[in-house]
Amino acid sequence: MPGRLRAALVAAAVGALLLAAGAIAGVVSPPAPPAFPAWPMLLVLDLLPVVLAGGFLLRGRAGVAAAVLTAFALIAPGRAVADLQLAVDAGLTGRPELLRPTSLAPLHPSLGLWLLLAGHLATGLAGLLAASRPGAQPEGAARGEPVARVAPLRQGRLAVALCLGLAGAVGLVGRPFTSDDPFLVPRAALDAPVAAMAGGLLVAIAVPLAAVLAASSADPATTRGGLLGIATGVFVLAVPPLAATASVAEVHLTWGPPVALAAAVGLAAFAVPAGRAVPAEDDQPEEPAEVTLPGQARLQTAAGLLAVLTGVAALGGVLAPQLVVPEGVSLPAGYASRLLLPAGLLVSVLGVASLSARLATAVRPALAVAWAAIPLAGAAAGDAVLTASQVGADVRPGVGAWLTGLAVLGSVAVACCAALAGGVERDDVDLTDVRPNPAATVPAAVAAVLAVGAFGLPALRAPDYVEPGVWSDFRVASWGLLVGLATVVGAAVLAPLCRPARRTALLLGAAGVVGVRLLEMPLTGARAEGASAGPGTWLAVACALALLVGALTSARSGTRTAEDGARGRADDERAGPV
């Protein structure tokens, strides 16, 4: 057994024992016992990666064992930061497996919290030791067998790992349960206090990142172990809320933990075929694995289909009720969801155009940017739903809210397909003569600067009304503003480096996203009495104009370039052979 891997296994076991000891000792003072006897379950859960890695190690598969510990350790920082909320305000943690407050009396951290943090530290140390083990040999080499090598990396494998990782992340950041106990307050990660939100987001980032890193490895042992390790991590985080709903009468199930649990099972099942090696033949030269992408036409068709479905889901979010309210209570006006109408139409139209063989390549850059209109509108609608859901247990998300969530997920898939199609196209085109276009640089730079104000400043102003923002009053809707801002600025930066036709489409797509932001005032202004256009609206007008000027300039330069090329070819034909 390699020395560092042995030390990593011991550190992981110590970490699991410390985490269980923290739950037993109690995390706050005065004591607030857990809602149910949870420490045996927590001990078993945190020992899972140790048992899994130990089993592979006993079978002589040190590479898989090391990858299990390394991947599982990636969620340790997020778990530690989330547990720090116990030191800030334990009453807002919503962790029935650790404590159940019974009053509003202040709670102070006790020995159990420090044991939890020490356990996370030991888990992270185990991952570092496992990742840095020296002298690793391919499996089978020590037994004199032909060294196994992984099959050529397929984009489908990365896509499956990414989708499963994103599903696990979405399930973990959702609301873990609902509660009838006023002292047991569950919150989604984006609606949680600062420490809990930061920890939840770190975990949400680590899960798909670990899945993609494992799936992209050229070593089959690392692929299998990494996927199993992150699957174990998602499983460990998804089970406690499920156990709480089964053990505590006042706690009720939500969609988050089951989705995370299904993603964990999917990752574990996918680890078997993804980590399967191909035996290397003695007469075959060893070749590096190559990434093979689907054809550009297929990717553009996939992007178009996804865009149409995403747009339909967004339109469904407008037409269907965003909330379910008790009988006899009237539904509030869905002002926030109205932005889904222009966003859904924009993405749907581009999706239909992408299904045309003649138009697909031309509109692909626009679709690669316009997808951001869906998160921009969807985050605003989701913010309103989350705010209304906190009024009482009888108010919950409706069909429109779920369709909006599907539209946001679909828009991310659209962006991935469109970006991959662009990568395939660039591989087939000689870009050595492409230079930054001075005529497009100025309007693109102006648009990038204006976009900061268009998305960062309020779109409307009214007495006693505070709009979610980027620099202040950061809420769920602010994430949509950040996505829109980053996408438009990114398009403005890349546009001068693109070919004329692609540059034009890229700038027009960015103008579409800014246009959705511009429509916020006329579509949702009735939400506040005495509302007027804010600086964000006027800057959005200026930004959209700058983008349209850049697109027009680019289109004209492209026309002149084509005419010059045709004239040059005609002159060559008249001159005859030299």
Side-chain angles (χ1 to χ4, degrees), residues 270-333:
F270 182 58
V272 177
R276 187 174 292 126
V278 178
E281 302 294 339
D282 294 336
D283 57 347
Q284 289 182 343
E286 191 70 22
E287 297 179 356
E290 296 181 355
V291 177
T292 57
L293 293 172
Q296 179 184 352
R298 285 192 295 165
L299 285 169
Q300 290 176 165
T301 301
L305 287 172
L306 288 170
V308 172
L309 294 175
T310 297
V312 170
L315 295 175
V318 181
L319 300 175
Q322 291 276 327
L323 292 169
V324 176
V325 297
E327 187 176 354
V329 178
S330 58
L331 277 171

Side-chain angles (χ1 to χ4, degrees), residues 391-417:
V391 174
D394 293 334
V395 179
R396 60 184 188 276
V399 175
W402 298 114
L403 289 174
T404 301
L406 288 175
V408 172
L409 291 177
S411 68
V412 176
V414 170
C416 293
C417 289

Side-chain angles (χ1 to χ4, degrees), residues 556-572:
R556 287 184 174 179
S557 66
T559 303
R560 286 196 300 269
T561 301
E563 291 175 351
D564 292 342
R567 190 179 301 112
R569 287 192 298 271
D571 292 342
D572 291 341

Side-chain angles (χ1 to χ4, degrees), residues 458-488:
L460 61 93
R461 284 181 170 175
D464 302 324
Y465 174 76
V466 179
E467 183 177 289
V470 173
W471 324 117
S472 61
D473 300 300
F474 196 92
R475 303 205 296 266
V476 174
S478 304
W479 291 103
L481 295 173
L482 283 177
V483 171
L485 173 60
T487 305
V488 172

Side-chain angles (χ1 to χ4, degrees), residues 146-179:
V147 176
R149 58 183 173 87
V150 74
L153 180 60
R154 299 291 179 184
Q155 188 65 25
R157 194 170 80 188
L158 288 176
V160 172
L162 177 61
C163 291
L164 290 173
L166 288 174
V170 170
L172 292 177
V173 299
R175 202 176 188 185
F177 54 86
T178 59
S179 173

